[in-house]
Amino acid sequence: MGYEKPLPAPDPETEEFWNGCRDHRLLIQRCGSCGTHRFPPTSFCPHCQSDETEWVEASGRGRVFSWIVVRHPVPREIYAGDVPYVVAIVALDEGVRMVGNLVGIDPDAVAADLPVKVTFENVTDEITLPEFEPIGD
């Protein structure tokens, strides 16, 4: 049986990001003009409005900025076996925020500023999802 949960649909702006995930590399954009990192991908820099863009590999490290614990699966038939799970906003060391599941931790143990690192889940041949896990001592 294949992966039954909703999948992202890469488009021209996000294709490079998803290709990086498939290779287990977390890629984000950096403005070629002012050097500002940005995520999610856009066609121009929100800081200086330049359209010069380059993709760079992020460290994959950051800290939990905010999170929710999902305890009621919607839709139930797809997510019932996953609850409870944590969806976190992670502030990456590069200064951007990214949303992803937080794995490898009891949902009740999550705290603000928890140090995390990216990990990847290969869900299909084409799509690999970034997730985050606590950084061990």
Side-chain angles (χ1 to χ4, degrees), residues 2 9 12 32 47 60-61 65-66 69 75 80 83-84 89-91 97 103 105 111 125 136:
H47 181 71
R61 294 177 172 269
F65 176 78
S66 182
V69 177
V83 294
I89 299 174
V90 173
R97 293 181 184 156
V103 298
I105 187 170
D125 289 341

Side-chain angles (χ1 to χ4, degrees), residues 1-18:
M1 185 179 251
Y3 191 79
E4 296 183 7
K5 297 174 185 170
L7 291 169
D11 60 29
E13 271 187 350
T14 63
E15 183 177 20
E16 197 70 29
F17 170 78
W18 292 113

Side-chain angles (χ1 to χ4, degrees), residues 8-81:
D11 60 29
E13 271 187 350
T14 63
E15 183 177 20
E16 197 70 29
F17 170 78
W18 292 113
N19 289 343
C21 288
R22 192 176 55 237
D23 295 337
H24 291 204
R25 298 174 57 226
L26 186 64
L27 300 180
I28 60 174
Q29 289 180 323
R30 181 172 57 202
C31 177
S33 185
C34 73
T36 299
H37 288 100
R38 63 184 189 257
F39 189 88
T42 60
S43 57
F44 70 94
C45 176
H47 181 71
C48 74
Q49 287 70 51
S50 170
D51 63 356
E52 296 179 37
T53 299
E54 57 188 352
W55 287 91
V56 296
E57 188 167 1
S59 67
R61 294 177 172 269
R63 295 185 173 271
V64 171
F65 176 78
S66 182
W67 72 98
I68 61 166
V69 177
V70 178
R71 298 184 188 277
H72 301 285
V74 177
R76 183 173 305 280
E77 60 275 5
I78 294 177
Y79 294 100

Side-chain angles (χ1 to χ4, degrees), residues 56-128:
V56 296
E57 188 167 1
S59 67
R61 294 177 172 269
R63 295 185 173 271
V64 171
F65 176 78
S66 182
W67 72 98
I68 61 166
V69 177
V70 178
R71 298 184 188 277
H72 301 285
V74 177
R76 183 173 305 280
E77 60 275 5
I78 294 177
Y79 294 100
D82 296 336
V83 294
Y85 64 93
V86 179
V87 179
I89 299 174
V90 173
L92 294 177
D93 289 351
E94 289 77 12
V96 298
R97 293 181 184 156
M98 182 176 288
V99 176
N101 285 0
L102 183 58
V103 298
I105 187 170
D106 182 301
D108 295 324
V110 179
D113 215 33
L114 176 75
V116 295
K117 65 180 179 180
V118 74
T119 185
F120 296 93
E121 181 185 2
N122 301 320
V123 295
T124 71
D125 289 341
E126 297 81 29
I127 298 293
T128 298

